[in-house]
Amino acid sequence: MLTRGALRAHLLAVRLAGVVATSREVSLRSYRLFAARDPRMLIGIDPVGTWGQRDVIGLMADRCGVSADPRCTSGQDVIDPERTLTALDAFAGRLAVVAQRRDPVLLGTGHPHRLLGFYAALADALSAAGCSVLTPAQGRRVDITTRFGLRTYNLDYVRGVALVREPGAPRAGGEPGAHTHSPLPVRTALAAAAEAGGPLPELVIGDHGWVCGAGQLGFEAIGPADTDDPALFVGEAEGSVSVVVPLDDGVRSDYYLPLTRYVLNRACLSQ
């Protein structure tokens, strides 16, 4: 079993925590846009409170460990590994509960290039524990506004994990899916599940718009987030998101394998 200390060392060695790749400039821009209620940063969350940029900086310092000083405007951001580990324990706790109850779950990612393997392992373990891993709206069209204009995608599932693909994109041996922060894919999936008469997920596991979009609709949602993703942490602070794990969400996919082992062990889902 991977110990907490060994995982902490791994987080720092591969820069999942500690000094991460996300720059302070990028994070501050995200906080400023979130404070201005820019949809690109809200990604499905409708904040109840008034969140100015200083408020967001303070929250991210508390939840991630970034600098709380607004005069710190350059360099690399920092994630406190102890906050990551504590959040991973809470994340595993939620997995354990749904596994014990054999609740239906929905998993989705906007970072398939990096995080698909992490979620797929969770889906496999939850399915083996008796949970229904839902796959609603397979093949459904999703139109997402991007910085390049309106783009059409199709909702797809790989090993029980939802993602979006460009129409006509090859599946086997091809691109694992498209990168998106949009909440539209999870809204599409949840709407399709409701239209079909259920079941609806008791837990949504994912990132970005998957967590924020589901949480805003009243579904319990958990997932990881980087220092430039304030929406998830605001959602957690306001109660619409259950657990957010602060970590770099853009490192090599194999770097997440120790996190997978740790979480599954903590949730008593190891096979």
Side-chain angles (χ1 to χ4, degrees):
M1 178 177 176
L2 188 67
T3 66
R4 185 181 174 102
L7 182 57
R8 186 183 192 279
H10 173 74
L11 293 173
L12 294 172
V14 301
R15 296 180 64 180
L16 278 161
V19 178
V20 295
T22 308
S23 71
R24 180 69 169 179
E25 293 92 334
V26 167
S27 292
L28 288 176
R29 177 179 179 274
S30 295
Y31 306 161
R32 183 176 67 254
L33 291 174
F34 184 89
R37 302 279 177 132
D38 189 307
R40 292 172 296 175
M41 288 297 114
L42 295 178
I43 54 176
I45 285 288
D46 185 12
V48 175
T50 300
W51 291 88
Q53 186 175 10
R54 284 180 177 268
D55 301 317
V56 177
I57 292 172
L59 176 69
M60 298 301 287
D62 177 64
R63 301 296 170 106
C64 294
V66 303
S67 173
D69 186 354
R71 295 170 297 180
C72 175
T73 59
S74 62
Q76 300 307 117
D77 255 333
V78 176
I79 294 175
D80 177 7
E82 290 300 322
R83 288 173 169 84
T84 303
L85 291 166
T86 298
L88 282 172
D89 289 344
F91 184 99
R94 298 313 304 150
L95 294 183
V97 169
V98 298
Q100 290 164 7
R101 296 175 178 170
R102 298 185 178 182
D103 288 335
V105 296
L106 175 66
L107 298 94
T109 181
H111 272 291
H113 296 75
R114 306 300 185 192
L115 292 170
L116 179 58
F118 172 69
Y119 297 123
L122 302 184
D124 289 344
L126 289 167
S127 178
C131 296
S132 295
V133 177
L134 306 180
T135 57
Q138 171 84 41
R140 188 74 60 89
R141 170 175 168 165
V142 184
D143 293 325
I144 299 175
T145 300
T146 73
R147 59 179 175 168
F148 305 109
L150 190 67
R151 294 287 187 269
T152 295
Y153 299 95
N154 293 327
L155 191 63
D156 197 7
Y157 289 85
V158 176
R159 292 177 57 193
V161 183
L163 47 81
V164 294
R165 299 181 187 275
E166 294 184 1
R171 296 187 63 184
E175 282 293 310
H179 175 226
T180 179
H181 290 190
S182 173
L184 293 179
V186 73
R187 291 174 183 167
T188 300
L190 292 171
E195 289 165 6
L200 295 172
E202 291 296 326
L203 181 68
V204 176
I205 305 165
D207 45 65
H208 295 104
W210 282 91
V211 172
C212 292
Q216 186 64 38
L217 291 174
F219 293 87
E220 183 178 7
I222 64 175
D226 210 330
T227 60
D228 60 344
D229 297 325
L232 286 86
F233 295 99
V234 169
E236 185 182 40
E238 292 191 340
S240 59
V241 172
S242 182
V243 178
V244 184
V245 181
L247 53 76
D248 189 322
D249 59 12
V251 303
R252 282 173 33 178
S253 58
D254 57 313
Y255 288 168
Y256 298 99
L257 290 175
L259 277 73
T260 307
R261 294 197 298 271
Y262 181 84
V263 164
L264 292 180
N265 273 315
R266 295 284 296 184
C268 299
L269 289 171
S270 296
Q271 299 179 26

